[in-house]
Amino acid sequence: MSDTRRRVKVYTLNEDRQWDDRGTGHVSSTYVEELKGMSLLVRAESDGSLLLESKINPNTAYQKQQDTLIVWSEAENYDLALSFQEKAGCDEIWEKICQEDEKFLSEVFAQLTDEATDDDKRRELVNFFKEFCAFSQTLQPQNRDAFFKTLAKLGILPALEIVMGMDDLQVRSAATDIFSYLVEFSPSMVREFVMQEAQQSDDDILLINVVIEQMICDTDPELGGAVQLMGLLRTLIDPENMLATTNKTEKSEFLNFFYNHCMHVLTAPLLTNTSEDKCEKDFFLKHYRYSWSFICTPSHSHSHSTPSSSISQDNIVGSNKNNTICPDNYQTAQLLALILELLTFCVEHHTYHIKNYIMNKDLLRRVLVLMNSKHTFLALCALRFMRRIIGLKDEFYNRYITKGNLFEPVINALLDNGTRYNLLNSAVIELFEFIRVEDIKSLTAHIVENFYKALESIEYVQTFKGLKTKYEQEKDRQNQKLNSVPSILRSNRFRRDAKALEEDEEMWFNEDEEEEGKAVVAPVEKPKPEDDFPDNYEKFMETKKAKESEDKENLPKRTSPGGFKFTFSHSASAANGTNSKSVVAQIPPATSNGSSSKTTNLPTSVTATKGSLVGLVDYPDDEEEDEEEESSPRKRPRLGS
């Protein structure tokens, strides 16, 4: 009885693109001496004559179709096909063809990563893989899956880890293209590999960190390669394509890995370029020397030579705004914009992990230093990062922002922008308008209490007057709530037992105080009086009066008739009086409300201008505010009007 599993029909494609039947026989996979390799042989079932003799060639694109067909091309305009009687026979021969492919690919991988391989040969091999991956996109889905799984099994990812760190730009570029095919095919496969290697390797040689360093080190003035790598990183850290099973959650495992092993590499350029601390700078430069090499190359240079390990401080520090540290090198600014785009993506999609990182590193303060950049696109990226954080309406973030006084650089940027009608102006106004419309009470109170005197002259939109109205309405509600408490509770003539006192205080004071113990980051400013309540109500009233007297004695001192000094530091030492920016503002003194003991007055460079009036932003909510205003606001004129 003949073996029906191996029974096949042989077909060839004729000039009319029709399949011609060449006969029926039995196929086998055998080593043929004349062909110097494993070959497919088909002998006719009628007389045993040879119907087909074809060497299995790793460079040939074999396709498996409909479970019982194997199709390939041996030469131009010469296509062959084997049609199997049984699926099992087709699977058996297909496996032998792939085994030959694996043997060939294994040899290629070995040469690719061998230090003895010369540069020309390695360049040829990596380009071969690149073309191979590109060709795979034309395969049927099941064949394409088999191809990439074979590459993964043979070690394509460890090989890429090596070649992506090589000096040859062409090799690195081709390796990046191969990596993009793999990420597109299966981001989970890449994530699984990097989490496994983290158990055996140091952080600086992990594949994802190699990718981040390649993004940082891109010598292209337009950072074309960096943009491509940033997109791949975003795909890898995107929770939307992470799997969840009954036994494990890829999202939690991978994000824990990423924030523990990779985030410090991604943020190193940002932290270095916004640091005033020489020790901190030296630390980053020491640990990420390779990452910083490209910054030494002037932005106008197109040289692709190996950069030195030292850094030109002129390329990191160069802001002409009050000597504030800020990157004015265009290439560096572009890189920081890419990093901020990734961090903004993290704020939107990672919640818990990025929140801890921002607060522990005081990252928003460092990002807002970039508001001083002469490159508007970078200042907008910094502002967008803050806008995404505020958009979450998370009180942990809100508390972090108010305690760190982090609106100050944003308002400085608005006032420094003057009467210019531009995107930066609109973006800042939109941020404050969002706070007004969403009625974020903690931020509204902070803005009005600390910055309203500097902002009240801005009348071309109702935003700031609207914030003041919201603040006053909330203050009235709180007073009415307090007045509704029986007078006996407000009198100091009667002592209360400790339990009753605690219940009363819990009713009086707002919900924010309930979360005080949950703050991740220690406050960077002097705590508000209500942050530490005495156990006894009588002591509380005495302490409050004492603090009010102290506040009156510590009012901000005038720096000139009618003016105050307004300062901002991007380091945590701001609360201790270390200032990196100082602007004198000619504004009326603010009425003390006891909310802060530090100088909080802001410069006002925006004044109402008479003449041609052009509106900036029309908000649908303005109509509500119009009813409360006696006259319509004056508009800011366009530049040159």
Side-chain angles (χ1 to χ4, degrees):
M1 181 177 178
S2 61
D3 186 0
T4 57
R5 287 190 312 163
R6 298 288 188 91
R7 192 166 186 264
V8 297
K9 280 184 176 292
V10 180
Y11 291 92
T12 59
L13 195 66
N14 61 31
E15 294 179 353
D16 298 327
R17 310 301 294 171
Q18 299 295 320
W19 289 103
D20 293 335
D21 186 346
R22 295 299 184 182
T24 303
H26 291 84
V27 65
S28 63
S29 173
T30 309
Y31 183 85
V32 177
E33 184 65 33
E34 293 81 0
L35 299 177
K36 303 296 182 183
M38 295 296 294
S39 304
L40 297 176
L41 302 179
V42 179
R43 294 190 178 276
E45 64 180 357
S46 58
D47 57 8
S49 61
L50 195 62
L51 296 178
L52 175 70
E53 185 180 59
S54 174
K55 180 181 178 180
I56 299 175
N57 191 335
N59 293 325
T60 298
Y62 295 89
Q63 295 185 43
K64 185 182 178 186
Q65 300 178 2
Q66 302 174 3
D67 292 333
T68 57
L69 280 174
I70 295 178
V71 182
W72 72 98
S73 298
E74 286 209 340
E76 189 174 355
N77 298 324
Y78 185 63
D79 293 352
L80 290 163
L82 294 179
S83 177
F84 289 78
Q85 181 173 331
E86 294 184 7
K87 178 180 181 297
C90 184
D91 292 341
E92 185 179 336
I93 295 299
W94 179 252
E95 184 177 349
K96 291 184 179 296
I97 293 173
C98 289
Q99 285 174 351
E100 286 300 306
D101 282 345
E102 289 185 20
K103 181 180 178 182
F104 168 74
L105 292 174
S106 297
E107 294 174 355
V108 174
F109 280 134
Q111 293 183 60
L112 188 63
T113 57
D114 189 348
E115 293 182 358
T117 304
D118 62 67
D119 292 344
D120 291 339
K121 182 63 175 178
R122 182 176 286 109
R123 194 178 302 119
E124 178 184 335
L125 291 174
V126 77
N127 282 324
F128 162 76
F129 270 117
K130 175 185 172 182
E131 296 301 322
F132 210 11
C133 290
F135 175 76
S136 71
Q137 304 304 299
T138 66
L139 299 177
Q140 297 291 328
Q142 62 180 22
N143 294 338
R144 185 168 62 251
D145 291 354
F147 168 75
F148 281 111
K149 288 176 181 176
T150 299
L151 288 184
K153 183 172 71 174
L154 294 175
I156 183 66
L157 289 170
L160 286 178
E161 195 169 68
I162 294 173
V163 297
M164 289 184 77
M166 293 182 173
D167 292 335
D168 191 308
L169 285 175
Q170 292 184 19
V171 169
R172 291 209 308 261
S173 176
T176 299
D177 290 337
I178 296 171
F179 184 66
S180 69
Y181 284 119
L182 293 170
V183 171
E184 180 182 353
F185 166 69
S186 176
S188 291
M189 179 184 74
V190 178
R191 286 191 287 260
E192 183 178 2
F193 168 77
V194 297
M195 285 191 287
Q196 288 176 352
E197 71 165 347
Q199 301 172 8
Q200 306 169 1
S201 306
D202 295 333
D203 285 359
D204 57 348
I205 61 173
L206 296 178
L207 177 59
I208 288 191
N209 286 343
V210 171
V211 171
I212 294 173
E213 288 193 347
Q214 289 306 309
M215 181 182 82
I216 294 172
C217 296
D218 188 6
T219 53
D220 178 4
E222 298 300 324
L223 297 185
V227 172
Q228 180 185 10
L229 289 169
M230 188 271 290
L232 296 175
L233 286 171
R234 184 164 55 187
T235 299
L236 289 174
I237 65 176
D238 187 355
E240 294 298 321
N241 59 50
M242 295 182 186
L243 305 175
T245 64
T246 55
N247 297 325
K248 64 177 183 178
T249 303
E250 184 184 17
K251 176 181 177 180
S252 61
E253 289 186 357
F254 180 76
L255 291 183
N256 282 335
F257 156 80
F258 182 78
Y259 279 85
N260 287 330
H261 297 278
C262 307
M263 184 59 97
H264 63 286
V265 182
L266 178 64
T267 57
L270 175 63
L271 296 177
T272 302
N273 277 279
T274 56
S275 175
E276 287 182 323
D277 189 332
K278 185 179 184 300
C279 293
E280 184 179 31
K281 253 187 211 300
D282 291 343
F283 172 81
F284 282 115
L285 296 179
K286 177 181 177 182
H287 286 77
Y288 308 109
R289 180 173 63 251
Y290 178 67
S291 302
W292 290 107
S293 55
F294 87 96
I295 299 182
C296 302
T297 305
S299 60
H300 62 271
S301 172
H302 292 262
S303 172
H304 289 170
S305 59
T306 303
S308 65
S309 61
S310 62
I311 254 187
S312 168
Q313 294 299 320
D314 292 339
N315 283 340
I316 296 180
V317 184
S319 175
N320 56 4
K321 291 189 179 182
N322 304 309
N323 297 320
T324 300
I325 291 184
C326 190
D328 277 353
N329 173 279
Y330 178 70
Q331 191 172 0
T332 308
Q334 280 188 306
L335 171 65
L336 295 181
L338 288 179
I339 293 172
L340 280 175
E341 186 174 339
L342 269 179
L343 293 176
T344 302
F345 179 86
C346 293
V347 168
E348 294 174 328
H349 294 88
H350 292 175
T351 57
Y352 165 77
H353 293 85
I354 189 64
K355 183 193 299 183
N356 278 349
Y357 193 85
I358 289 173
M359 293 185 174
N360 288 330
K361 298 293 184 182
D362 199 11
L363 189 63
L364 180 56
R365 181 185 302 277
R366 303 292 280 272
V367 168
L368 291 175
V369 172
L370 303 178
M371 295 293 295
N372 289 313
S373 175
K374 70 179 183 182
H375 302 288
T376 303
F377 70 86
L378 182 57
L380 287 170
C381 285
L383 184 62
R384 188 181 304 117
F385 181 71
M386 185 180 192
R387 173 65 176 82
R388 290 294 181 273
I389 290 175
I390 291 176
L392 296 175
K393 297 188 285 187
D394 185 319
E395 277 305 310
F396 279 105
Y397 275 132
N398 294 345
R399 186 183 299 275
Y400 163 66
I401 290 170
T402 56
K403 284 184 176 291
N405 200 28
L406 298 181
F407 278 110
E408 195 169 287
V410 177
I411 295 175
N412 271 336
L414 175 65
L415 298 180
D416 288 344
N417 191 62
T419 58
R420 289 188 290 274
Y421 182 89
N422 54 23
L423 188 57
L424 179 62
N425 178 281
S426 297
V428 174
I429 294 296
E430 191 278 333
L431 182 147
F432 289 106
E433 181 67 11
F434 175 83
I435 295 171
R436 184 189 73 83
V437 172
E438 295 297 323
D439 195 16
I440 305 177
K441 293 179 174 57
S442 58
L443 298 185
T444 299
H446 175 75
I447 294 165
V448 172
E449 290 173 0
N450 293 279
F451 306 113
Y452 186 70
K453 280 295 181 182
L455 298 170
E456 63 181 344
S457 62
I458 300 178
E459 299 181 332
Y460 55 89
V461 289
Q462 294 295 297
T463 299
F464 299 109
K465 291 187 182 300
L467 284 171
K468 181 72 177 299
T469 300
K470 294 274 190 184
Y471 170 76
E472 291 174 343
Q473 290 173 347
E474 178 62 21
K475 199 171 181 181
D476 289 343
R477 279 193 292 268
Q478 292 299 327
N479 289 336
Q480 292 174 5
K481 187 176 180 181
L482 184 62
N483 291 334
S484 66
V485 177
S487 59
I488 189 173
L489 298 181
R490 299 194 301 273
S491 172
N492 60 3
R493 292 179 299 169
F494 298 91
R495 284 189 183 276
R496 307 293 307 280
D497 63 85
K499 182 177 180 181
L501 180 61
E502 290 174 358
E503 292 176 353
D504 292 339
E505 289 181 356
E506 183 178 357
M507 175 176 63
W508 287 343
F509 300 108
N510 58 47
E511 296 176 356
D512 286 347
E513 297 307 323
E514 296 175 5
E515 298 177 355
E516 185 68 22
K518 301 179 183 177
V520 179
V521 180
V524 294
E525 290 199 30
K526 181 179 177 180
K528 293 184 179 180
E530 63 266 29
D531 282 357
D532 49 354
F533 296 116
D535 294 331
N536 183 283
Y537 179 72
E538 185 174 77
K539 292 181 180 179
F540 164 69
M541 293 301 296
E542 293 174 357
T543 303
K544 183 177 180 182
K545 291 179 180 179
K547 286 185 177 292
E548 288 176 351
S549 300
E550 181 182 348
D551 286 342
K552 290 180 179 180
E553 295 175 0
N554 293 328
L555 284 175
K557 297 181 179 180
R558 296 176 182 268
T559 58
S560 62
F564 289 108
K565 191 173 184 180
F566 179 65
T567 60
F568 171 69
S569 172
H570 64 264
S571 66
S573 62
N576 297 324
T578 304
N579 301 321
S580 64
K581 179 171 183 177
S582 176
V583 183
V584 177
Q586 299 299 325
I587 61 174
T591 302
S592 172
N593 56 16
S595 62
S596 174
S597 62
K598 68 175 286 185
T599 303
T600 57
N601 297 286
L602 194 71
T604 174
S605 58
V606 178
T607 57
T609 307
K610 297 181 180 180
S612 177
L613 303 180
V614 181
L616 174 63
V617 183
D618 290 327
Y619 294 103
D621 301 282
D622 285 348
E623 295 179 1
E624 301 176 5
E625 307 299 336
D626 289 341
E627 297 176 0
E628 302 175 10
E629 299 294 327
E630 296 181 358
S631 60
S632 59
R634 288 171 289 182
K635 305 284 186 176
R636 172 177 293 182
R638 292 182 183 272
L639 183 63
S641 60

